[in-house]
Amino acid sequence: PITLIATAIVHHTLGDLPERRAELYEHCVQALSGRWDDAKEEAGAHLTGGLSRASKVRLLQRLAHAIHEQGESGGQTLERGPAIARIRDAFPPDTRPEHDDAEAVLDLLGARSGLLMPEGLRAWRFRHLTFQEYLTARYLCAEREDAAQVLAQRLHDPWWREVVLLAVGYKAKDAAVEGRKLVARLAEAADRRRAPADRARAHGVVAQALLDLKAYQVGAIEPVAASAAPRFMALLTDPAQPGDVDARAWMGEALGAFGDPRLGWDDDAHLLAVPAGPFTRGDPGGAHEAPLQAWHLPFFRVARYPVTRAQFAAFMDAGGYDDPSLWSAGGPPQRGLAQYRAQLEQHPNHPVTE
């Protein structure tokens, strides 16, 4: 419910919802943390001058990072003592609150922000993992000079995948060049992972980050994608098929978005040669098929991949769609060709399925 409330507040305030996830979450965090603005006098009883909205967000992001860096096995909670310590450490030594004052601020953060909530009597957690991930990314980008290094070290860890992607979005939100620079550094780091499965997972995250930047219409990302493409190809063509299905799918999607070298027709790399020779077909018992029979097949070639949308679009452009000699009786399917042609341009390396 709190996510829905925050989204509704953002929509009411802006008249629309941002397309970039990092931008949407930023507005949600600001909207929810602003609910404490009417409690400044109460906060002022503990800290001189109270806390600004920016200060509240800074405290929340430090708590989020403290929870998230425990790892997935560490759960999604932070004990009260460490939480109070993180709040105190957020202040300079000359204005650092006493333990009781920091504890009061922690209680107010939970009561007023809508983002933090108690877990039992001695622990705290975020109401939704999404906010924990975004605030962790925000902390690294806003407060850590070694953010790229920290993210690179965790690039292969699924627990940190969303944090990495949100960090890229956060960087690109205000300065596109910073988003591009971060992805470029992550791509270099991904290639240094020794285990093939870890390297594939890391490059899968880089691929999704590139797709996000393209969707956000961040310019000049083509050189970064071109540099990453050979690494994607090497992993995707490895017979061992390292990495999980999602990571391999993201790399394939990125190749399709920025230029997939596997889309050609004539290159021998895309066609497998099958030498002439005997071929036995049939059922030895003859119960389900015709009896075994030997055939002699001439030399032929077979495509390494199913026909892609880009290849079928080239077939249409060459006039093949309108050539009756290339179709069985009844001719090609009747459809709105202009609309169908436009559909083929989306995801060009996907197979043609209709």
Side-chain angles (χ1 to χ4, degrees):
I2 194 66
T3 306
L4 180 60
I5 292 171
T7 304
I9 293 173
V10 172
H11 187 276
H12 176 76
T13 303
L14 302 180
D16 200 356
L17 291 177
E19 293 185 3
R20 304 184 184 195
R21 288 182 303 149
E23 188 175 347
L24 173 61
Y25 297 155
E26 177 69 15
H27 282 291
C28 287
V29 167
Q30 295 293 339
L32 290 173
S33 61
R35 297 174 67 195
W36 192 15
D37 287 345
D38 60 352
K40 286 182 179 178
E41 291 184 3
E42 187 175 2
H46 304 282
L47 295 173
T48 302
L51 286 174
S52 66
R53 183 181 301 195
S55 297
K56 288 177 281 184
V57 173
R58 188 174 70 252
L59 294 177
L60 286 167
Q61 67 192 25
R62 287 187 171 226
L63 293 173
H65 178 256
I67 296 174
H68 206 80
E69 69 176 355
Q70 296 175 148
E72 189 171 10
S73 61
Q76 298 179 24
T77 62
L78 188 65
E79 291 296 316
R80 193 173 187 85
I84 293 171
R86 290 301 290 256
I87 288 177
R88 296 189 70 227
D89 289 344
F91 292 86
D94 57 334
T95 60
R96 185 163 294 157
E98 297 297 330
H99 180 280
D100 290 348
D101 290 338
E103 186 173 28
V105 171
L106 176 63
D107 290 335
L108 282 171
L109 279 173
R112 301 286 185 175
S113 72
L115 293 167
L116 198 65
M117 63 182 295
E119 181 78 3
L121 298 176
R122 303 299 304 171
W124 291 86
R125 69 176 179 87
F126 282 85
R127 288 184 180 272
H128 199 286
L129 179 60
T130 295
F131 292 122
Q132 177 180 309
E133 291 167 332
Y134 173 69
L135 286 165
T136 299
R138 195 183 194 282
Y139 165 76
L140 292 172
C141 293
E143 299 196 46
R144 295 282 293 269
E145 293 183 357
D146 62 343
Q149 180 180 350
V150 171
L151 294 170
Q153 292 171 346
R154 295 160 171 77
L155 195 55
H156 66 291
D157 186 347
W159 176 245
W160 285 85
R161 179 181 66 86
E162 195 66 18
V163 174
V164 174
L165 295 174
L166 289 169
V168 172
Y170 184 85
K171 286 282 192 180
K173 176 173 64 70
D174 298 320
V177 65
E178 294 301 320
R180 291 195 302 269
K181 286 167 58 177
L182 178 56
V183 174
R185 291 191 62 180
L186 293 177
E188 294 174 358
D191 218 33
R192 293 194 292 268
R193 305 304 307 185
R194 292 188 177 181
D198 288 347
R199 192 160 61 249
R201 279 193 292 268
H203 275 302
V205 178
V206 171
Q208 192 171 16
L210 285 168
L211 290 168
D212 283 350
L213 292 183
K214 184 178 178 66
Y216 300 157
Q217 299 182 339
V218 172
I221 56 174
E222 288 75 11
V224 181
S227 176
R231 301 159 182 169
F232 297 165
M233 281 293 300
L235 289 163
L236 291 175
T237 57
D238 185 343
Q241 296 187 346
D244 53 60
V245 172
D246 286 342
R248 298 177 66 80
W250 291 325
M251 287 186 281
E253 288 285 354
L255 286 173
F258 294 99
D260 194 330
R262 300 171 296 175
L263 295 181
W265 283 100
D266 301 325
D267 192 336
D268 287 344
H270 305 130
L271 295 172
L272 300 176
V274 181
F279 172 70
T280 303
R281 186 180 71 177
D283 181 6
H288 304 290
E289 298 181 25
L292 283 177
Q293 187 175 5
W295 296 74
H296 182 83
L297 295 180
F299 169 86
F300 67 95
R301 291 178 180 270
V302 61
R304 186 183 296 269
Y305 310 104
V307 175
T308 65
R309 294 183 176 188
Q311 290 170 334
F312 196 78
F315 167 74
M316 292 181 67
D317 293 341
Y321 199 90
D322 299 319
D323 186 348
S325 68
L326 300 177
W327 296 89
S328 57
Q334 299 302 310
R335 52 166 62 110
L337 292 187
Q339 181 179 2
Y340 182 62
R341 182 65 178 79
Q343 292 174 354
L344 293 176
E345 295 178 358
Q346 303 173 16
H347 308 291
N349 61 353
H350 282 206
V352 177
T353 57
E354 59 177 27

